[in-house]
Amino acid sequence: YPYVTGTSVVGVKYKDGILMASDMGASYGSTLRYKSVERMKPIGKHSLLGASGEISDFQEILRYLDELILYDNMWDDGNSLGPKEVHSYLTRVMYNRRNKFNPLWNSLVLGGVKNGKKYLGTVSMIGVHFEDNHVATGFGNHLARPILREEWREDLSYEDGVKLLEKCMRVLLYRDRSAVNKIQIAKITEEGVSISKPYSLRTFWEFNAFRNPTVGAEGSW
Amino acid sequence: MTKQHANWSPYDNNGGTCVAIAGADYCVIAADTRMSTGYNILTRDYSKICKLADKSLMASSGFQADVRALQKQLSARHLIYQHQHNKQMSCPAMAQLLSNTLYYKRFFPYYAFNVLGGLDTEGKGCVYTYDAVGSYERVGYSAQGSGATLITPFLDNQLKSPSPLLLPAKDAVTPLTEEEAVDLVKVVFASATERDIYTGDKLEIVILNANGIQCELMDLRKD
């Protein structure tokens, strides 16, 4: 069972590649224990992995992938593992652990670009996997996906993509109790990976609905 | 001392419906493209149909990770068969292989509900229907998955497949033409989408006949 957990990761495809966002929090049950955890990491030259769920299992997955990339580099054959291959590998690893009744308690988002082709996929702790134009884990599925379904379009520019992701992360911040206001946005394109420095979102708590939540319905929250 | 029980289940139902209809010289296999979990939709664009051999296609609904593992297993076994026998597997052979593969995991089953469709060795359409542990039967048509209970009675009414217990054995394939069968499939899915929450988004229809394989995509209701 999970002890130290990260909350949602949200990813979208945009014009030049993939944009992924996550906050830097790791909770120990209901305590917001760690506030500087990088939950997105580059994998090889072409991929970016974001994880929610148990942080120690995420670190183990990074060790597995390290070994995978190492062996790939040792072949020294000019070929390098692309996001599709890494996603397939992760799917098999997660499914295998589930078969042994000892799952890695994570939901992963894997994005990347190789030879101009963009790839964005996700794997859950029991091995359910798929790829799509926008993915999210955990609460992101409930809160961010609907926003993305409405507002995502093909060929988003970088600025629009970041604005869209910030909108999703802001909603998650307001409504997910395990979210912290310190996020990173990662970008992966054909040229490579760049993960932004952590920053905070502007929040506004003076909405009438927040100040008077029960005005329309006494007894609710 | 009570036994400790796991708080998580290794299974999940990702929903969806699959249908297959066998004709005199064609076979129609169709499945929706929605993948869901609980009351959420994970993606609207996921194919449940897999081409296992030149003349065999499998459509599976149920737990997606198991379905994928099953598809990979069968494709790999087919490749080995091709290496050893220098020919493609026939649909009846693939049917037996699928049954055996499912039964192999009798005590930790693949949560996959399959219909196998294709052309048999004589070029006639054939459809095999399975349960999660491998019992199978050759039939003229079949539906599996979340919308199966809605679709099967309607197909029974329209296609009136003869009982396999009849003597002399009556042919199970439907006398419908290919166009009529495709139409029937579209109508059947449109109705299932209305009442089954796990079925919808898009319908993928694959038609297998002597000329090869054709694919068709049709929109379904997204709610």
Side-chain angles (χ1 to χ4, degrees), chain B residues 142-165:
Chain B
S142 169
Q144 287 279 2
S146 53
T149 47
L150 298 166
I151 294 176
T152 308
F154 185 64
L155 290 181
D156 283 339
N157 175 274
Q158 295 294 307
L159 300 174
K160 280 202 270 265
S161 197
S163 166
L165 300 169

Side-chain angles (χ1 to χ4, degrees), chain A residues 1 88 91-92 95 97-103 105 125-132 134 141-142 145 149, chain B residues 5-12 14 35 40-44 46 63-66 68-69 72 105 108 110:
Chain A
Y1 308 120
S88 190
T91 309
R92 289 300 105 211
Y95 185 66
R97 291 288 298 254
R98 162 261 185 201
N99 280 348
K100 297 196 273 207
F101 274 87
N102 183 201
W105 208 283
M125 68 183 241
I126 45 174
V128 175
H129 61 281
F130 59 92
E131 44 160 331
D132 209 338
H134 44 77
N141 257 320
H142 294 106
R145 281 314 277 288
R149 282 203 183 106
Chain B
H5 279 279
N7 298 4
W8 66 280
S9 165
Y11 290 117
D12 190 16
N14 298 117
M35 186 157 95
N40 298 325
I41 295 179
L42 290 173
T43 184
R44 299 189 189 274
Y46 189 79
F63 175 42
Q64 187 258 3
D66 272 349
R68 197 78 191 85
K72 281 185 165 209
K105 294 238 301 160
F108 184 17
Y110 287 112

Side-chain angles (χ1 to χ4, degrees), chain A residues 58-100:
Chain A
F58 177 47
Q59 290 168 343
E60 172 120 356
I61 290 171
L62 290 176
R63 270 194 290 274
Y64 282 145
L65 287 174
D66 240 355
E67 191 181 338
L68 183 74
I69 302 290
L70 182 69
Y71 280 121
D72 186 45
N73 288 339
M74 285 190 345
W75 281 109
D76 202 16
D77 56 1
N79 195 10
S80 50
L81 288 173
K84 205 168 176 161
E85 289 89 61
V86 178
H87 187 226
S88 190
Y89 176 78
L90 285 172
T91 309
R92 289 300 105 211
V93 167
M94 303 299 272
Y95 185 66
N96 224 280
R97 291 288 298 254
R98 162 261 185 201
N99 280 348
K100 297 196 273 207

Side-chain angles (χ1 to χ4, degrees), chain B residues 173-209:
Chain B
V173 299
T174 171
L176 287 180
T177 68
E178 196 180 294
E179 289 74 27
E180 287 172 337
V182 172
D183 237 13
L184 179 61
V185 158
K186 289 183 183 175
V187 151
V188 137
F189 263 93
S191 313
T193 304
E194 295 286 315
R195 292 288 185 177
D196 178 25
I197 59 173
Y198 298 111
T199 303
D201 292 330
K202 285 209 256 301
L203 171 63
E204 188 185 2
I205 309 176
V206 178
I207 307 147
L208 182 61
N209 55 26

